[in-house]
Amino acid sequence: MPLQPYSTFEVPVAGGPLFVGRWGDGDRVVVAAHGITGNHRSWQAIARALEPGVSLIAPDLRGRGRSTTLPGPFGMRSHADDLVAILDHLDLDRAVLAGHSMGAYVATTAATTDPKRWSSVVLVDGGVALPLPDGVDPDDMLAGVLGPALARLEMTFRDRATYHDYWRAHPALVEPGAWNVDTEAWLDHDLCGEEPSLRSSAALEAVRFDGRELLMDRGVRQACFDLQQHTVLLRAERGLLNQVPPLLPDELIDPLRARWPIRLEMLVGDTNHYSIVLAPRGARIVAAHLSAATLRRAR
């Protein structure tokens, strides 16, 4: 499917400029937040699958991508404030809000702190409080969950091909369809520096701060229960390393259904935590829900 017109711009936020990408120029707008070590290009496959007339706007969250030099404070509230700054910059009263992985916790925080600015919410494999076993250090749990995605933040790569090779071996990206031009665009955007010492643009300080907060902060963990908007939760069938159980297994979700206001929750088969946004099957399903949410806004 052809990619919608793509452009970038900067938004003044606390500490400097926030780098933002936009696909499409329609007036049905989605603002989307990426994962903990990602960047805005992780939404490109989804942007490709959106209905005509839908625009997807996604920032590099502070401490990542071309926003890597933005200083702290980090945390879900800071990221949420940056998303509202995008709306203000574009003179938008409201938009649909989406988030993948950590971005889903940014979304629940934004939707509950500024509920009038967000008409609907789509959470993709995140946004629900993860259990933290007694006695487990949050940094250790974060490293265990993220695996090679976190390890790469302290590595250097001699060129882009070497970086691609590193990711080609990732268990989640060996799934059919998960490696494509949109995946490569996401990876290329992540790199900064010069050959032969390229490195990930994701700041380890930001990743660790945000990771600890979403595991431990009571307000962040509670936010999904306080949502007022029409909310959809899309869960991947497998986890970050293409494993079973997934990040959000039935055992976690089943007891929560009676307590939360989420209108629709579904397991997206044949996807893992990465392929649900990067591979065509997952991207089409996420895009369909985003497109539907923008129509709900228009009514």
Side-chain angles (χ1 to χ4, degrees), residues 11 29 31 57 82-96 116-118:
V11 174
V29 176
V31 175
I57 299 170
D82 290 344
L83 297 186
V84 171
I86 295 173
L87 296 184
D88 292 341
H89 182 78
L90 297 175
D91 293 324
L92 293 172
D93 292 331
R94 304 176 81 203
V96 172
K116 293 182 179 180
R117 306 302 301 271
W118 308 106

Side-chain angles (χ1 to χ4, degrees), residues 99-182:
H100 170 240
S101 192
M102 184 199 79
Y105 300 89
V106 175
T108 57
T109 301
T112 52
T113 54
D114 291 286
K116 293 182 179 180
R117 306 302 301 271
W118 308 106
S119 56
S120 298
V121 180
V122 177
L123 307 174
V124 185
D125 218 34
V128 179
L130 301 175
L132 182 63
D134 291 341
V136 175
D137 182 88
D139 287 337
D140 292 339
M141 182 173 174
L142 193 65
V145 170
L146 294 179
L150 185 62
R152 84 182 195 279
L153 302 189
E154 298 184 279
M155 300 172 63
T156 58
F157 303 86
R158 68 173 180 267
D159 51 35
R160 292 181 182 275
T162 303
Y163 193 52
H164 286 194
D165 289 343
Y166 176 83
W167 274 100
R168 282 183 188 276
H170 194 290
L173 297 187
V174 299
E175 180 176 299
W179 193 275
N180 53 59
V181 295
D182 298 321

Side-chain angles (χ1 to χ4, degrees), residues 259-282:
R259 297 172 49 203
W260 67 22
I262 293 174
R263 302 282 187 88
L264 173 64
E265 176 269 315
M266 64 176 289
L267 188 70
V268 182
D270 295 325
T271 62
N272 61 49
H273 185 74
Y274 287 91
S275 67
I276 195 171
V277 293
L278 295 174
R281 170 179 165 73

